[in-house]
Structure formats: C-alpha cells, structure tokens
Amino acid sequence: MTKNNWLRRITRVIGSVKLASVLLAGLIFAAFYASIVSRSAFSSWWFITLVVMLAVNTSACTLRQWRGAVKRYKQIREGRVSGKPVTVDLPASDPADALATLAKLCRAKWYAVSLQNSRLVAHKNAIGVFGSALFHTALVALIFSAFCGVITG
C-alpha cells in the first residue's frame, strides 16, 4: 500500500460520518451527565478529549467537502456537468442565430451562459456547491470557540 493510499484511508476514517455520530452521541451523554450530576465535568479531560476528537473529525470532513466543492464548481464552470444534458434541435437555416436566441432566453431566466465550440452551456447557482463546505467550516469555528471557552473557563 502506498503512502498516499494509507493517508487517504486514515483521513476517510477520521472524517467519517459514523465516527461523527458516535462522538456526537458521546458528547450528548457527557453534556447531560455534566448538567445533571457535576458541572465540573465540562472541564474534565475526557469531555475536552471528546470535543477535540469531534473538532478533528469535523475538520477532516470539512477539508473533504471543500475539495469536492471546488472540483464540482470547476466542472460546472467548464460545462462538464454530471447528469443527462438537454439537447435542443435548432433550425438548420442559421444555428448561430438560434444559439444566440437561446442564450438570450437563458440569461433572461438568470442562467450563466457560455458558448463553447458551437455548444451552449448554461447553469444556475454554481456557487451553491459551496453550501455544505461553508456549513462545515462554520461548525469547526463554533467547536473551536466552544473549546476555547472551556479551556479559559
């Protein structure tokens, strides 16, 4: 197994949803325990360890989300989108004029339009692929700020 494969597997495990679910369940139980039994548990080593593990898990997931979002955004901008492309029969008399008319109609519906090799590429909301990555980034910031609050008291 190459070093890159090994690192990729470790990152996949560290950033997995299953691990996040286990860590979140542990934190819920620990927070319940700390609220009912002992408030000092919030600053205990095991609670802080759970928070750090969740932060590492979420950070690994966030990096994977950003990598995927950037890749998907580039594919959309280049016209290499997944799914079935829509084909339209254009009048044979003047295909360039028909493409220009179709591009104008798409722009009127707020599509981003580009012509590539006598092919029209139109897409909406390409920036929306960053939503999950932005959410994960905010979650990491929230965990980090909560961790700083626990450490500083």
Side-chain angles (χ1 to χ4, degrees):
M1 184 183 320
T2 65
K3 183 180 178 182
N4 196 23
N5 259 353
W6 181 79
L7 186 61
R8 191 169 282 172
R9 277 189 176 181
I10 294 294
T11 306
R12 196 177 312 134
V13 169
I14 290 173
S16 74
V17 176
K18 290 178 183 178
L19 180 60
S21 300
V22 170
L23 291 171
L24 282 171
L27 272 173
I28 289 169
F29 177 75
F32 180 75
Y33 172 79
S35 297
I36 302 298
V37 178
S38 170
R39 289 212 177 264
S40 64
F42 283 116
S43 58
S44 66
W45 67 269
W46 55 268
F47 189 84
I48 292 172
T49 301
L50 279 172
V51 172
V52 168
M53 288 174 67
L54 182 64
V56 169
N57 170 266
T58 308
S59 297
C61 185
T62 301
L63 290 174
R64 200 171 63 240
Q65 290 287 329
W66 275 107
R67 196 170 39 234
V70 168
K71 182 180 176 184
R72 178 79 174 129
Y73 181 76
K74 285 179 181 178
Q75 288 174 342
I76 291 171
R77 296 296 292 177
E78 293 169 0
R80 296 181 297 119
V81 295
S82 60
K84 185 178 178 183
V86 176
T87 57
V88 177
D89 291 327
L90 298 174
S93 60
D94 190 8
D97 188 40
L99 270 179
T101 303
L102 187 56
K104 185 177 179 182
L105 289 171
C106 288
R107 285 188 184 103
K109 296 287 186 181
W110 297 97
Y111 279 85
V113 176
S114 63
L115 291 171
Q116 300 172 355
N117 300 329
S118 69
R119 194 179 101 193
L120 180 95
V121 177
H123 58 84
K124 258 188 180 177
N125 197 19
I127 200 80
V129 299
F130 293 107
S132 181
L134 286 171
F135 171 78
H136 279 83
T137 303
L139 189 58
V140 169
L142 180 66
I143 292 170
F144 179 74
S145 64
F147 178 71
C148 289
V150 167
I151 295 296
T152 60

